[in-house]
Amino acid sequence: MRILLASSEVHPYSKTGGLADMVSGLSKTLARAGHRVGVVTPLYAGIEDRFSGLSRISEAFDLPVGPRRITAGILALEAEEGLTIYFVEQPGFYQRAAPYGVNGTDFVDNAERFVFFSKAVVELARRLPWRPELIHAHDWQTGLVPLLLLEEARQTGWPQPPRTCITVHNLAYQGLFPRHAFALTGLSWEHFHSEGVEFYGQLNCLKAGLLHAAAITTVSPRYAREIMTGEFGCGLDGLLLRRRHALTGILNGADYGEWNTTGNPFLEHSFSPADLSGKARQKSVLQRELGLPVDPSVPLFGSINRLVEQKGVEIQLAALDKMLGEGLQFVLLGSGDPGYQRAYQELADRHSDRMAVRFGFDQGLSHRIEAGCDFFLMPSRFEPCGLNQLYSLRYGTVPIVRATGGLDDSVIDAQEDSSGATGIKFRDYSSQALIKAVGKALALYAEPEWMAHYRCNGMAADFSWQKTAASYQGVYQSALNL
Ligand code: ADP
């Protein structure tokens, strides 16, 4: 197959969350399976300095965005055999400190930036000599692609335009903009009504994709069921229910080439299920790095998060005072809401011998937290897939998760399978339920043999990309057969 993926972030070129990891893992695995794969993404600040081998291909082209014509340059990088990354260059839009905004505030011209990017994706698909037969869009930033493509094909008589698939990584982010932003698309106002791209008077970029893509996927089977309900549907549950035959939930894979307990450049010690002594040494490395008392006997809990309500920050903050009285250590790596950062900092100041916090985005530290902790906390209110629990499992760190979305699909607790358990789950979204789950974790920690059993079950669980990519191939094939 010839597949072009379109995403506003791709690891290792840019990343704010799981989307970047997913597009990277999927594209590599598809290419290694013999498909011709391209990924198109914006050329953000610093990419040209950090990666050599980018070359300018073709002439730049101009695209109409509202009343302006804006130039897109295209640079290409041969990432590996069969996989080309295409960077859309538009310095005015993308040479900024971050992909979407700074200090928790979105850039004011995000509608223009991503309408332009979506148009560039369609134009690139038309120009590429290898003629992609399927475009796989991701999230609201490329939500308009399926509709723009259909309109372009209709107006220009594009013979055999590519089919489209869109993946929802998080339905809570829909790309909502004031009505006048619709004029940026150049599409007919016939599309701007409640059965079209309008959503309570606003432009909804993701809805355009959900309406017009041949196939819709989301990142776990349970989240696929959840988003067809009023509780998780964010106002689009009716539409998703109507399109349920086009909707598939596919759990993301983990890139074990990167998230690896042996020969990992971010870790000082290697370890494996057969020999966990390296993990114990990594725990000391982490305690030392964060200025916590180096004590192998204290259970160490970790969390790595965007600090937003979705991730369960409120119940975690409410639970921490009690938890820290239970003789454990806690480390947090997070970025986002300054109010939440202050709340965590305040707790860490009060419990400096038990709790350490680091704010910002730090890839190396995220590996060391996953490897050095005994338990990993993910008390999310909702979680489409979640990747950190997959990394925890591989690193022998027992995940404590709320049973929602991909967390429920990927972690097995003792009630489900007592000998195959990999983690601890709780159901209610409350600090009491979280505290109770932490109590279970402490009881488990007091039984070293059981603890080792959980760790080894987790390390043996297989969430490699092969299975996930095979499911995507099935979805692509049905989209091509329509
Ligand atoms: P989401 O996409 O909702 O943020 P996921 O669990 O799917 O959540 O993916 C988060 C990804 O981002 C993981 O790879 C995680 O390790 C990484 N991550 C999140 N916050 C940080 C941070 N502050 N520093 C380093 N990596 C982070």
Side-chain angles (χ1 to χ4, degrees), residues 46-84:
I47 293 177
E48 274 182 291
D49 301 332
R50 287 189 293 124
F51 296 90
S52 55
L54 273 70
S55 63
R56 194 167 291 280
I57 60 157
S58 77
E59 299 279 289
F61 43 81
D62 281 352
L63 295 166
V65 179
R68 299 165 65 195
R69 290 195 74 84
I70 300 178
T71 306
I74 303 287
L75 284 79
L77 177 69
E78 296 307 323
E80 56 182 82
E81 200 182 331
L83 175 60
T84 313

Side-chain angles (χ1 to χ4, degrees), residues 132-136 149 161-165 214 476 478-482:
E133 43 190 346
L134 190 127
I135 301 185
H136 185 172
L149 184 111
R163 293 284 157 83
T164 51
C165 168
Y476 297 160
S478 5
L480 292 178
N481 292 344
L482 281 179

Side-chain angles (χ1 to χ4, degrees), residues 402-426:
R402 182 157 174 270
T404 182
L407 298 177
D408 196 28
D409 285 337
S410 57
V411 174
I412 303 168
D413 76 5
Q415 271 176 358
E416 291 166 304
D417 178 354
S418 57
S419 66
T422 58
I424 294 166
K425 286 185 190 177
F426 64 98

Side-chain angles (χ1 to χ4, degrees), residues 337-370:
D337 188 286
Y340 286 145
Q341 292 194 21
R342 272 196 301 279
Y344 277 108
Q345 187 63 61
E346 217 168 85
L347 270 166
D349 291 345
R350 269 199 284 132
H351 300 274
S352 56
D353 56 335
R354 298 190 173 281
M355 173 167 166
V357 289
R358 292 290 181 275
F359 301 119
F361 204 87
D362 186 336
Q363 179 92 349
L365 182 56
S366 74
H367 282 259
R368 287 188 294 282
I369 290 177
E370 288 285 8

Side-chain angles (χ1 to χ4, degrees), residues 15 17-18 21 304-306 311 333 360-362 386-388 391:
K15 171 167 168 175
D21 289 1
I304 303 171
N305 260 342
R306 286 183 300 117
K311 299 289 178 182
L333 169 63
F361 204 87
D362 186 336
L387 290 174
N388 278 311
Y391 305 149

